[in-house]
Amino acid sequence: MTAQPEGAHAPRKPSSKEMVLRLVSHHGSVTRAQLMDLSGLPRTTVYDAVAALVDSGAITTAPAAGDGRGRGRPVERLSLNPGRAQFLGIEFTRRATRVALANDACQLMGVRGAEEPSTAGWQDRVRTAHRLALTLAGGSLGPGAVKGVGVGIGGPGSVKGVGIGGPGAARPGPEVEVARLVRERFAAPVRVERGYRLAALGEATWGAAAGEPDLLSVSLSREVGGGLIQAGALHRGPYATAGELGHVNVERENGRPCHCGGHGCLETVASSQAVLDRYHARGGLASDIADLAVAARNAEEAACRVLAETGRAVGGVLAALANTFAPAVIVIGGALTRTGTPLMDPLKRELHELLVPTVRPHLSLRAATLGTTATACGAVALVAGAPAASPA
């Protein structure tokens, strides 16, 4: 197994065209000279990137108002092409809304986010998403401009009775209402998907596993979730429940109750709160994951033991899934990974020991690179035609 050190897999650098496109999206209207200042790219690189984006129709040019030079080439201002098809990805979390924008060539134009009170209703959240989308689009989203909207909502916590496109859903969740509100606000087709699956898609399109057709992702945060991509397709399963890594059983005897209705799920062991609860039960004083990481770096016994136990549990689940599905890459992220080697070293050892010999040499373990933008990026990839976005 190619188990790379925590953080060793560098994020894919955006191409010059992607950088220019994002800067135009962010600033609304800029000149080539301003792009050189903002990007730090050489003049020739900026001009070549602009020419390619103009030729593709992604951006348009117009004479700068008040250009009084009187000689030479007139100054032009560059803007997003309002007539070019645009795709949106939206993530709704308990306390934030994030929006990503891409064009019909699946070029990511930018991501914006805003904090939300946990009490905000869906109408308020959708209004926030629309405001963020307008900012990304340079202030205008005319009729027909948005060709599709992907929405990431929920996580492993909504596994019981979730209404995301699954015939096995016991009762409808908020997804039906959210899809209706988004469809009305943006006048475009909407696809709703689980947030953790979309995070896998984001990492496969623009992140740590860009271009990889077979990967497994896992996020260790307030909840534990993941996603599976096989042969370039996001795998959902017949009941739209694929990727619920947090609900793999790891403690059959005396397992703690889980909100899914089961006992001993990985989430009861490896979620941020579960780790802190076990740590506090051993007399630890750290109040959050950041403090726990400091305690582990200082070799505090309770912190190191709890993180090692957690790492082994996660490593065992990942090994079982890797032996079954044989992904080329496992992408791991989430707040808990910030604890570093006290968690990751036991995880890697367990994963290595439990992998079958035929899988071990071919598997790469990589740190997630998109952070909190992964789900919004995956949501826009879902509707913008990314290779991994087709249903499995």
Side-chain angles (χ1 to χ4, degrees), residues 135-163:
T135 302
L136 285 169
S140 175
L141 282 173
V146 179
K147 302 302 180 184
V149 184
V151 179
I153 186 174
S158 51
V159 67
K160 282 190 72 177
V162 72

Side-chain angles (χ1 to χ4, degrees), residues 3-390:
Q4 303 188 21
E6 177 70 7
H9 184 78
R12 180 183 71 87
K13 290 183 65 176
S15 68
S16 57
K17 287 196 297 183
E18 288 173 328
M19 190 179 297
V20 167
L21 193 61
R22 293 179 195 182
L23 287 170
V24 173
S25 171
H26 181 77
H27 292 278
S29 177
V30 291
T31 65
R32 290 171 177 82
Q34 288 171 328
L35 284 174
M36 285 186 279
D37 290 339
L38 290 166
S39 67
L41 296 172
R43 181 179 188 276
T44 301
T45 302
V46 169
Y47 272 67
D48 288 347
V50 168
L53 291 168
V54 171
D55 287 343
S56 70
I59 62 177
T60 60
T61 63
D67 176 25
R69 294 190 307 171
R71 65 178 64 184
R73 182 175 179 176
V75 174
E76 292 179 321
R77 299 199 70 85
L78 312 169
S79 305
L80 295 181
N81 183 353
R84 183 75 183 263
Q86 295 174 349
F87 296 89
L88 293 171
I90 303 172
E91 179 191 17
F92 294 115
T93 74
R94 289 176 67 244
R95 297 187 181 275
T97 296
R98 300 183 184 93
V99 176
L101 178 71
N103 64 17
D104 57 0
C106 205
Q107 294 169 312
L108 186 64
M109 296 165 139
V111 185
R112 287 289 183 91
E115 294 184 0
E116 300 265 34
S118 59
T119 55
W122 288 115
Q123 286 188 334
D124 290 336
R125 289 174 178 268
V126 172
R127 276 194 290 267
T128 299
H130 189 259
R131 173 173 55 81
L132 294 170
L134 282 173
T135 302
L136 285 169
S140 175
L141 282 173
V146 179
K147 302 302 180 184
V149 184
V151 179
I153 186 174
S158 51
V159 67
K160 282 190 72 177
V162 72
I164 301 181
R171 54 184 169 80
E175 294 76 22
V176 174
E177 179 187 3
V178 172
R180 177 183 62 80
L181 291 170
V182 171
R183 190 180 301 112
E184 291 174 355
R185 173 68 64 167
F186 292 96
V190 177
R191 290 181 65 181
V192 182
E193 186 56 87
R194 289 188 191 276
Y196 288 123
R197 273 203 292 269
L198 292 178
L201 182 55
E203 294 288 350
T205 308
W206 291 293
E212 296 284 356
D214 297 280
L215 69 104
L216 174 68
S217 80
V218 59
S219 175
L220 308 175
S221 288
R222 190 177 66 87
E223 296 176 326
V224 176
L228 177 66
I229 292 175
Q230 293 181 294
L234 181 65
H235 186 65
R236 306 176 74 248
Y239 305 113
T241 56
E244 299 293 355
L245 277 69
H247 299 281
V248 175
N249 186 275
V250 294
E251 288 186 331
R252 190 168 182 83
E253 299 294 331
N254 302 315
R256 281 156 284 222
C258 180
H259 54 74
C260 74
H263 287 75
C265 297
L266 182 62
E267 188 161 303
T268 69
V269 174
S271 66
S272 299
Q273 191 59 54
V275 170
L276 287 171
D277 287 346
R278 297 202 328 275
Y279 166 73
H280 292 150
R282 295 185 179 190
L285 299 177
S287 60
D288 56 24
I289 295 301
D291 288 343
L292 179 65
V294 173
R297 284 197 296 272
N298 291 333
E300 182 190 298
E301 182 179 3
C304 292
R305 281 183 175 273
V306 167
L307 289 172
E309 292 169 359
T310 304
R312 287 192 293 270
V314 175
V317 170
L318 294 180
L321 293 170
N323 289 337
T324 303
F325 297 106
V329 177
I330 294 177
V331 177
I332 183 166
L336 197 62
T337 61
R338 297 172 196 156
T339 58
T341 55
L343 172 81
M344 294 303 298
D345 283 354
L347 186 156
K348 292 172 185 176
R349 283 195 296 269
E350 191 78 359
L351 177 59
H352 180 82
E353 290 175 7
L354 295 179
L355 286 174
V356 297
T358 53
V359 172
R360 191 178 296 141
H362 306 291
L363 182 64
S364 173
L365 181 65
R366 303 179 186 175
T369 60
L370 295 180
T372 57
T373 70
T375 295
C377 288
V380 75
L382 184 71
V383 293
S390 56

